Amino acid sequence: MQRRGALFGMPGGSGSRKMAAGDIGELLVPHMPTIRVPRSGDRVYKSECAFSYDSPKVRGASGGALPKRRNSKIFLDLDTDDDLNSDDYEYEDEAKLVIFPDHYEIALPNIEELPALVTIACDAVLSSKSPYRKQDPDTWENELPVSKYANNLTQLDNGVRIPPSGWKCARCDLRENLWLNLTDGSVLCGKWFFDSSGGNGHALEHYRDMGYPLAVKLGTITPDGADVYSFQEEEPVLDPHLAKHLAHFGIDMLHMHGTENGLRDNDIKPRVSEWEVIQETGTKLKPMYGPGYTGLKNLGNSCYLSSVMQAIFSIPEFQRAYVGNLPRIFDYSPLDPTQDFNTQMTKLGHGLLSGQYSKPPVKSELIEQVMKEEHKPQQNGISPRMFKAFVSKSHPEFSSNRQQDAQEFFLHLVNLVERNRIGSENPSDVFRFLVEERIQCCQTRKVRYTERVDYLMQLPVAMEAATNKDELIAYELTRREAEANRRPLPEVVRAKIPFSACLQAFSEPENVDDFWSSALQAKSAGVKTSRFASFPEYLVVQIKKFTFGLDWVPKKFDVSIDMPDLLDINHLRARGLQPGEEELPDISPPIVIPDDSKDRLMNQFIDPSDIDESSVMQLAEMGFPLEACRKAVYFTGNMGAEVAFNWIIVHMEEPDFAEPLTMPGYGGAASAGASVFGATGLDNQPPEEIVAIITSMGFHRNQAIQALRATNNNLERALDWIFSHPEFEEDSDFVIEMENNANANIISEAKPEGPRVKDGSGMYELFAFISHMGTSTMSGHYVCHIKKEGRWVIYNDHKVCASERPPKDLGYMYFYRRIPS
């Protein structure tokens, strides 16, 4: 019970607490009863939380069998006659332990009738803070308030009518992040913090000039509402009269739907919009149920995560590594499995593949849906909240509430899989391949071949190769004219790019900026070409649709590329050094080390009494143990709090991390210097102070360790080694193996092995793709299409349906599997 309870981190606890109005959230847990957690929205007077415990029989205190109860779920008593929008109410939780298969219930807390371990496990579950609260605390306590200006809002009768498209800020040229003032109908740009996009703050300036309090964001208006902001109250608000206020300016809420950039409503070219095409709007999509057809609820900004995880768990290697090892992973999970990557991956994979959370509605539910005029069966999906909480922790972007790039998350996930491999099994091996880079000096014609590891193929968009250039020019002229005259925009015309042109652009040579030729011992012009030194089992292709505008805001090419179902890239196989080619000399560019770094290096072994206490206190104020801070400053040679902080991050898991600083054998600078620059220790572990110096220059810790071991811990030679061995940049396997090996003889003789690759034929078949809707990675929506059992399936958050028209030409990331030769 202890392991199972901690594993799923169920919220709960005794006592009472306040809850605002809202809805009822549901946490779906494998092997456990459905647990409904009261959340904002319903008046809740009492709830009971049930925990499962598998046991043949448990006797009560009197020795008799415990009374049987009917249900093991939470029971909610809802008073639906009261006003749901009134003040907050208090409620109480009751926790009970339910013993299966007989459904015996035991009220908690209970000490006398239960084994000690079970009691401890129940207490841990009840007191744990669920990711439901960690990730989304505001939804438990805060509802958007109704603006005090909404009931008596003054609206000027100035004849302003807002067109359905072509909006632009009245004071600048921005066409995104636009806000409609509900008093005078002014359309002005917002500030960055309104929606994480750029703006010049003209909407706020207008309020300061005129005092008109409420504004609605264009592009968010739907029949259900819109984003309304109160400048006077300085917060997002609700406007109960929003439909009337919008109608004053000619906007009918019932015929609007939100878009990322607010350029269209449902009545204008519905089948041309990128949003409509990718989501297959307008077609009758049949919901699909069963194993492998489970959706993921959108947590507000998690569609990038959901799309990637659906594609990942459609790959057999990931299914076997996690779901196939479910009993072993769950049995050996740590005491806090919420912080264990493999446990969370297995739990999510089980939820997606088991089919337990993707079942067709029963007849009674269908009748109820018909009575409610809900013609489509409702698919709930599972919530990835706990998984997202773990994989995004300590990451500045993924832990935020902003939209993210699916490609960046894919690489982040691969990195987590690499670092948390299950024994010798590493499912991310299927993506890994080697890239051969050939650099040629344009003056001497000499070449250098290097290899690096990669996990996806980035394919450039060859805009110059568009096959409909005349249509594009005509469309652009018509669009600008429509915007200038505030008329509806013309039908979208996308650039049609041949896939062969993109593949050609990938293989063409590119100029190398700031190239240093070892043959000339000087900077020169250089060109680089890239080829596949190995072909992966699964090839991930990213279309480089995103670029930066003049304002440094990411923009996206709206293009259509005829991506093939069958892909042959055998012609991109690397050939290595060719006859007649002459290699560039293996000479590194001169290294310039700042004088202050040299001085600090030579004097890094300092007297403990000379430790910089100001740096120690800076670290201690961050919450680190004082003795650990002193050691960090000492072992980094008083080089400042920032370098010492890096030392802390590396060593904080060590058992003696917070122990007092001790200096066994401390005998002056001479002996210390010999230790640093002379013979290596028995374990061949480079001194941390030299590692810290190299990492402070921007190199990876793994590179620093490899370089120092290869050069007998000589700083300058290690820097030369790093520049001349770029192929070891991502080879962390060797470093891990060396650090875990205590045999000095084996260490001294060990040589780095190349990364594991699954080379084979370059023939591939498309089986999944992820599409992005919107104008930048900072906003929009992701959808995934996967080919299963001979047909395409669309995964749009919690909705899983059979695809009718998969938009393969509008994808962002494509997943190919190797065709067996």
Side-chain angles (χ1 to χ4, degrees):
M1 175 62 193
Q2 181 180 14
R3 193 175 303 280
R4 179 174 294 177
L7 174 61
F8 299 107
M10 293 173 288
S14 58
S16 62
R17 56 175 181 263
K18 277 242 178 181
M19 178 168 289
D23 58 348
I24 299 176
E26 182 174 18
L27 174 65
L28 299 175
V29 181
H31 308 309
M32 302 192 71
T34 300
I35 297 179
R36 295 189 179 273
V37 182
R39 299 183 66 188
S40 53
D42 293 289
R43 181 178 297 185
V44 181
Y45 291 100
K46 178 181 178 182
S47 66
E48 298 182 3
C49 179
F51 301 89
S52 67
Y53 178 53
D54 299 322
S55 173
K57 179 174 286 190
V58 174
R59 297 282 179 178
S62 61
L66 295 172
K68 182 180 294 187
R69 296 283 294 273
R70 289 185 179 181
N71 206 330
S72 62
K73 297 183 179 179
I74 287 181
F75 304 96
L76 301 178
D77 297 324
L78 304 179
D79 186 354
T80 55
D81 295 331
D82 292 331
D83 180 13
L84 294 179
N85 293 321
S86 54
D87 296 336
D88 297 343
Y89 294 90
E90 291 189 1
Y91 74 96
E92 294 183 354
D93 291 329
E94 283 188 15
K96 295 185 178 181
L97 179 69
V98 181
I99 305 172
F100 290 96
D102 296 326
H103 284 75
Y104 291 133
E105 295 185 3
I106 303 175
L108 296 177
N110 185 302
I111 300 176
E112 298 179 356
E113 300 177 359
L114 297 176
L117 288 177
V118 176
T119 301
I120 293 172
C122 292
D123 291 341
V125 172
L126 290 172
S127 62
S128 65
K129 190 173 182 180
S130 155
Y132 278 75
R133 292 202 167 198
K134 294 178 183 177
Q135 283 282 299
D136 200 11
D138 293 339
T139 61
W140 287 78
E141 301 293 342
N142 300 322
E143 278 273 317
L144 289 180
V146 175
S147 173
K148 62 183 179 182
Y149 300 98
N151 291 331
N152 302 304
L153 181 69
T154 300
Q155 292 190 284
L156 303 182
D157 190 11
N158 53 10
V160 172
R161 291 294 179 269
I162 304 302
S165 62
W167 307 314
K168 185 174 76 69
C169 178
R171 299 188 184 181
C172 66
D173 293 330
L174 286 183
R175 300 182 182 275
E176 298 177 357
N177 189 20
L178 300 178
W179 293 76
L180 169 67
N181 191 285
L182 291 176
T183 295
D184 64 356
S186 299
V187 176
L188 299 159
C189 62
K191 295 194 71 172
W192 178 85
F193 55 80
F194 284 164
D195 71 339
S196 299
S197 61
N200 297 318
H202 290 142
L204 181 60
E205 290 180 9
H206 185 69
Y207 160 72
R208 290 170 177 167
D209 294 339
M210 307 302 298
Y212 302 149
L214 299 182
V216 60
K217 186 179 180 185
L218 294 174
T220 67
I221 303 171
T222 70
D224 299 322
D227 293 346
V228 181
Y229 188 82
S230 173
F231 297 104
Q232 179 66 34
E233 296 159 286
E234 297 185 343
E235 63 178 339
V237 295
L238 294 177
D239 179 1
H241 310 293
L242 182 61
K244 182 184 75 171
H245 293 158
L246 291 173
H248 181 82
F249 299 109
I251 299 175
D252 185 357
M253 277 184 63
L254 297 180
H255 292 85
M256 296 291 288
H257 82 292
T259 64
E260 182 274 333
N261 54 6
L263 292 180
R264 305 189 167 272
D265 63 28
N266 279 341
D267 295 330
I268 300 180
K269 309 301 179 187
R271 291 182 177 83
V272 179
S273 165
E274 181 185 50
W275 291 71
E276 307 284 349
V277 174
I278 290 177
Q279 296 185 101
E280 303 188 50
T281 303
T283 59
K284 294 183 179 180
L285 300 180
K286 179 183 178 182
M288 301 193 71
Y289 303 93
Y293 298 105
T294 304
L296 288 166
K297 294 180 180 179
N298 195 324
L299 305 179
N301 69 321
S302 61
C303 55
Y304 67 92
L305 178 147
S306 300
S307 298
V308 171
M309 297 314 300
Q310 292 285 9
I312 287 293
F313 275 111
S314 68
I315 297 174
E317 284 78 0
F318 280 85
Q319 296 174 358
R320 290 194 299 267
Y322 295 104
V323 182
N325 286 320
L326 183 146
R328 181 167 65 91
I329 293 175
F330 280 3
D331 287 344
Y332 291 95
S333 61
L335 291 178
D336 185 5
T338 63
Q339 303 304 310
D340 180 62
F341 174 77
N342 293 325
T343 301
Q344 295 306 315
M345 278 286 284
T346 303
K347 177 188 168 187
L348 181 66
H350 175 270
L352 294 177
L353 301 176
S354 66
Q356 294 184 15
Y357 313 109
S358 179
K359 299 178 180 180
V362 297
K363 187 175 181 179
S364 59
E365 293 175 346
L366 290 174
I367 295 174
E368 182 180 357
Q369 290 166 9
V370 172
M371 296 296 293
K372 293 181 179 179
E373 297 183 353
E374 297 176 355
H375 304 296
K376 292 183 179 180
Q378 300 299 309
Q379 296 173 296
N380 293 325
I382 61 176
S383 173
R385 197 176 297 263
M386 191 179 295
F387 177 79
K388 183 179 184 295
F390 177 82
V391 299
S392 62
K393 69 175 184 178
S394 303
H395 193 287
E397 285 300 321
F398 299 132
S399 59
S400 71
N401 289 324
R402 295 185 291 271
Q403 184 59 276
Q404 303 299 331
D405 188 353
Q407 175 257 348
E408 291 183 2
F409 178 75
F410 168 76
L411 293 179
H412 176 64
L413 181 73
V414 168
N415 183 37
L416 290 174
V417 173
E418 294 273 3
R419 287 159 44 189
N420 297 275
R421 65 181 59 181
I422 308 171
S424 61
E425 189 174 11
N426 185 2
S428 66
D429 289 347
V430 299
F431 297 126
R432 190 186 302 109
F433 60 93
L434 296 177
V435 177
E436 178 192 85
E437 291 186 343
R438 176 186 183 271
I439 299 180
Q440 183 174 39
C441 174
C442 294
Q443 288 186 251
T444 64
R445 313 303 295 176
K446 295 182 179 181
V447 297
R448 173 180 293 122
Y449 286 88
T450 58
E451 287 186 351
R452 61 176 173 84
V453 174
D454 212 335
Y455 293 89
L456 57 82
M457 177 186 185
Q458 294 183 309
L459 208 61
V461 176
M463 292 295 295
E464 68 282 355
T467 59
N468 58 339
K469 292 181 180 178
D470 293 340
E471 293 180 67
L472 292 171
I473 295 173
Y475 164 73
E476 186 63 22
L477 293 175
T478 307
R479 184 186 65 82
R480 291 181 180 179
E481 182 181 353
E483 289 180 348
N485 297 320
R486 286 182 169 266
R487 294 200 305 265
L489 295 179
E491 181 175 326
V492 173
V493 177
R494 288 190 183 85
K496 297 180 180 179
I497 311 296
F499 173 77
S500 57
C502 298
L503 203 59
Q504 178 65 27
F506 171 82
S507 61
E508 287 181 351
E510 59 179 297
N511 294 326
V512 180
D513 296 329
D514 206 27
F515 173 68
W516 189 86
S517 172
S518 59
L520 299 174
Q521 294 286 295
K523 291 184 178 180
S524 172
V527 293
K528 180 178 71 174
T529 55
S530 299
R531 294 291 186 271
F532 285 84
S534 68
F535 291 124
E537 189 76 16
Y538 289 83
L539 177 67
V540 182
V541 179
Q542 177 205 7
I543 305 298
K544 298 174 67 174
K545 289 187 173 184
F546 295 99
T547 183
F548 285 96
L550 297 177
D551 53 0
W552 289 100
V553 175
K555 305 291 183 182
K556 189 176 79 172
F557 295 122
D558 189 6
V559 297
S560 170
I561 301 177
D562 58 333
M563 295 296 293
D565 288 313
L566 299 178
L567 175 61
D568 184 0
I569 56 172
N570 279 303
H571 65 285
L572 295 178
R573 170 77 74 171
R575 298 178 298 170
L577 186 67
Q578 296 298 297
E581 289 184 334
E582 185 178 354
E583 289 189 276
L584 286 164
D586 190 11
I587 301 174
S588 300
I591 305 299
V592 179
I593 301 177
D595 292 337
D596 60 341
S597 296
K598 294 180 181 179
D599 295 339
R600 291 170 187 245
L601 176 66
M602 297 305 298
N603 296 281
Q604 59 193 292
F605 275 90
I606 57 177
D607 190 303
S609 62
D610 295 333
I611 292 177
D612 182 6
E613 292 297 334
S614 63
S615 297
V616 173
M617 295 311 299
Q618 288 184 53
L619 297 172
E621 289 173 358
M622 299 180 189
F624 299 113
L626 181 61
E627 290 300 330
C629 299
R630 289 178 56 80
K631 288 199 294 186
V633 174
Y634 174 82
F635 285 120
T636 54
N638 274 347
M639 294 184 66
E642 183 176 353
V643 176
F645 175 79
N646 293 333
W647 186 95
I648 286 178
I649 296 301
V650 172
H651 294 82
M652 63 189 309
E653 299 298 331
E654 296 178 358
D656 60 344
F657 173 67
E659 296 296 323
L661 173 65
T662 57
M663 293 301 300
Y666 176 75
S671 61
S675 174
V676 174
F677 298 104
T680 60
L682 289 179
D683 61 353
N684 200 25
Q685 178 67 26
E688 280 299 327
E689 48 274 12
I690 308 183
V691 174
I693 292 174
I694 296 178
T695 55
S696 68
M697 296 179 183
F699 299 108
H700 296 297
R701 173 177 170 80
N702 293 346
Q703 289 178 279
I705 293 175
Q706 293 178 52
L708 289 169
R709 283 181 171 146
T711 58
N712 201 24
N713 295 340
N714 183 286
L715 176 64
E716 294 192 15
R717 288 175 55 205
L719 293 172
D720 290 340
W721 189 94
I722 290 176
F723 280 103
S724 60
H725 294 78
E727 66 272 18
F728 292 104
E729 179 176 353
E730 300 187 32
D731 186 11
S732 60
D733 297 344
F734 170 65
V735 176
I736 295 173
E737 179 182 353
M738 294 284 281
E739 289 180 340
N740 293 335
N741 199 329
N743 191 310
N745 293 328
I746 296 179
I747 291 175
S748 63
E749 296 174 2
K751 294 183 179 180
E753 299 177 358
R756 292 189 299 271
V757 294
K758 297 187 175 183
D759 197 7
S761 169
M763 286 289 298
Y764 293 94
E765 177 186 14
L766 180 68
F767 73 93
F769 63 94
I770 296 173
S771 307
H772 174 268
M773 295 157 281
T775 57
S776 80
T777 56
M778 300 164 61
S779 57
H781 183 57
Y782 286 96
V783 167
C784 181
H785 285 75
I786 303 176
K787 193 173 186 179
K788 290 188 175 182
E789 299 177 340
R791 71 173 305 168
W792 286 96
V793 180
I794 178 173
Y795 293 79
N796 189 355
D797 289 332
H798 64 281
K799 294 177 288 187
V800 181
C801 302
S803 173
E804 296 295 332
R805 294 198 297 265
K808 290 183 284 188
D809 59 323
L810 299 182
Y812 174 51
M813 293 178 65
Y814 294 85
F815 292 76
Y816 286 86
R817 67 165 61 92
R818 187 178 5 244
I819 300 176
S821 55

